[in-house]
Amino acid sequence: MKRQKKKQEMLRRQVRLGVAAAGICICIIAVVVIGIKQNGDLQERMPVSKTAVLKHSLISEIMPSELAYLESLSLTTAPYGAVSDLFYEGYSAQIGSDTPVITSDEVKSTNAILVDLDTGEVIAQKAAQEIVSPASMTKILTLLVAAEHVTDLDASFTMTQEMTDYAYVHKCSTAGFDVDETVTVRDLMYGTILPSGGEAALGLAVYVAGSQEAFVELMNEKLQELGLSGTAHFTNCIGLYDENHHCSLYDMAMILKAAAENDLCREVLSAHIYTTSQTEQHPDGIELSNWFLRKIEDKDTHGEVICAKTGFVDQSGCCGASYAISNSGKHYICVTGNAWSSWRCIYDHVAIYQEYTN
């Protein structure tokens, strides 16, 4: 009897030990799972892959305090997603062997160019010969072509579901216009540039030419007029990635130059904030912001950044084109490509202006 009780007691102990061990295992597994999930969440916020980091809209709001972490990642070593191996055939006339190469550790963008508009000289560059996907910098040309064809900025235009669906399906940023909302052509222009609205750009194209396809023909005619058609060719008015939608950084600098020389384009590209007209859908209008200009305005660029347009696609990272007037009154255009965030793009422009302008 005593032996039986002893066996039962031993059995109970073994069961208790087994339960405790199982509990410990479950806790360990839970910790591991939670750790993996948290690490996954962190990677969504600050991934170690350039492609991954650029996939999330959160990246556009990375704050300076987070840059130290991002800069510790090997993002700049990732291969640049150039459209092709083509190079700008006439580039030797613009970039010579004596053109300074941007080597500063402060400039993380893989590609960059700074042009002195007063002399036409390329002041500095970094892999600027590559043919790239211009992303939403494309909309600078969209604005320029529209500005040259529009005669009434107060003319009305009604948004269609096809336009808003197109922007949604292609995951474009939007101005916020609704289906059947009647806005002005001026609203479309500001909506195209400040928030980089895909539906606004498409509406502008349809208003001017009747269809995006017809408008793109006008865009490519403008590229030819500017002498850029040898390397620049666009297939859409928004900046969606396409193998045949490409240009060089120098091309984009010249597109921005032409836009800055157009009074209407310069007005739109230099606006920090704009409120659209009042509509039934938006009784108070929609407040639009050019976040590049608003974020760079308090930085020391040795002058003032007057106009700017950013862009992003996986194939060319975060990119930006800006026009600035230095403290000495000189005029410059800076274009960068393949930064890992919009904040990084801004700081790269600041660093380039600080080092090469006066």
Side-chain angles (χ1 to χ4, degrees):
M1 193 69 169
K2 289 183 179 180
R3 283 184 185 176
Q4 189 173 1
K5 286 185 178 180
K6 204 169 190 179
K7 284 183 181 180
Q8 288 176 346
E9 181 62 29
M10 288 179 63
L11 182 59
R12 280 195 291 270
R13 286 181 183 177
Q14 289 174 351
V15 170
R16 285 197 295 270
L17 288 173
V19 171
I24 292 171
C25 289
I26 290 172
C27 290
I28 292 173
I29 292 171
V31 169
V32 171
V33 170
I34 291 172
I36 291 173
K37 183 181 184 305
Q38 288 179 338
N39 185 55
D41 291 341
L42 178 61
Q43 287 185 347
E44 282 194 357
R45 182 171 174 77
M46 297 178 180
V48 296
S49 156
K50 179 182 78 69
T51 301
V53 79
L54 295 171
K55 281 170 62 179
H56 301 279
S57 59
L58 181 62
I59 198 68
S60 65
E61 293 305 323
I62 286 180
M63 300 303 292
S65 61
E66 296 171 320
L67 289 177
Y69 177 86
L70 284 170
E71 289 172 356
S72 70
L73 306 178
S74 302
L75 299 181
T76 55
T77 61
Y80 185 76
V83 173
S84 69
D85 293 327
L86 296 176
F87 288 89
Y88 188 1
E89 295 178 355
Y91 225 93
S92 59
Q94 303 295 337
I95 298 180
S97 58
D98 58 342
T99 299
V101 176
I102 298 171
T103 58
S104 171
D105 290 338
E106 296 298 316
V107 179
K108 305 297 185 181
S109 292
T110 305
N111 304 72
I113 190 170
L114 179 68
V115 180
D116 182 333
L117 295 182
D118 299 313
T119 65
E121 179 185 3
V122 176
I123 301 298
Q125 62 88 24
K126 182 181 183 182
Q129 302 96 324
E130 292 186 15
I131 303 299
V132 303
S133 176
S136 282
M137 293 189 296
T138 296
K139 295 185 178 83
I140 300 173
L141 184 61
T142 300
L143 175 67
L144 177 59
V145 171
E148 293 181 342
H149 288 80
V150 168
T151 57
D152 183 4
L153 293 176
D154 294 318
S156 61
F157 180 84
T158 302
M159 300 299 299
T160 67
Q161 185 164 349
E162 181 183 5
M163 294 168 189
T164 56
D165 283 355
Y166 186 91
Y168 176 78
V169 168
H170 290 91
K171 300 179 181 179
C172 303
S173 52
T174 64
F177 298 130
D178 291 336
V179 177
D180 295 330
E181 184 171 8
T182 299
V183 298
T184 66
V185 172
R186 181 184 283 103
D187 291 337
L188 292 176
M189 288 186 167
Y190 281 92
T192 295
I193 297 299
L194 275 66
S196 200
E199 88 281 33
L202 187 56
L204 199 55
V206 172
Y207 174 82
V208 169
S211 68
Q212 178 174 205
E213 293 74 19
F215 186 83
V216 168
E217 290 182 13
L218 296 178
M219 294 175 75
N220 286 313
E221 287 175 8
K222 187 62 182 180
L223 291 174
Q224 186 170 12
E225 179 187 323
L226 294 172
L228 307 175
S229 58
T231 47
H233 181 268
F234 291 172
T235 62
N236 62 84
C237 65
I238 295 173
L240 302 177
Y241 175 73
D242 184 294
E243 286 185 351
N244 296 314
H245 188 93
H246 53 75
C247 68
S248 70
L249 267 63
Y250 179 81
D251 294 335
M252 186 51 63
M254 294 302 100
I255 291 170
L256 179 54
K257 175 181 181 292
E261 291 170 347
N262 179 289
D263 292 341
L264 176 56
C265 291
R266 186 172 61 254
E267 177 186 319
V268 175
L269 285 162
S270 63
H272 289 220
I273 298 176
Y274 172 82
T275 302
T276 64
S277 52
Q278 298 176 353
T279 65
E280 180 182 345
Q281 292 82 353
H282 295 97
D284 298 323
I286 305 172
E287 184 175 273
L288 309 175
S289 291
N290 185 323
W291 285 107
F292 186 101
L293 289 178
R294 294 186 66 180
K295 290 173 180 176
I296 204 172
E297 63 185 350
D298 62 345
K299 309 295 186 296
D300 179 14
T301 57
H302 290 179
E304 181 182 3
V305 175
I306 306 298
C307 302
K309 180 72 191 78
T310 57
F312 163 75
V313 290
D314 283 334
Q315 293 76 11
S316 54
C318 287
C319 47
S322 66
Y323 160 61
I325 300 177
S326 72
N327 291 328
S328 64
K330 292 181 64 64
H331 304 80
Y332 298 93
I333 281 181
C334 178
V335 184
T336 61
N338 198 32
W340 61 68
S341 77
S342 60
W343 266 112
R344 185 65 259 168
C345 180
I346 289 172
Y347 280 106
D348 285 353
H349 280 239
V350 171
I352 291 170
Y353 283 129
Q354 284 184 348
E355 183 168 356
Y356 296 101
T357 67
N358 53 57

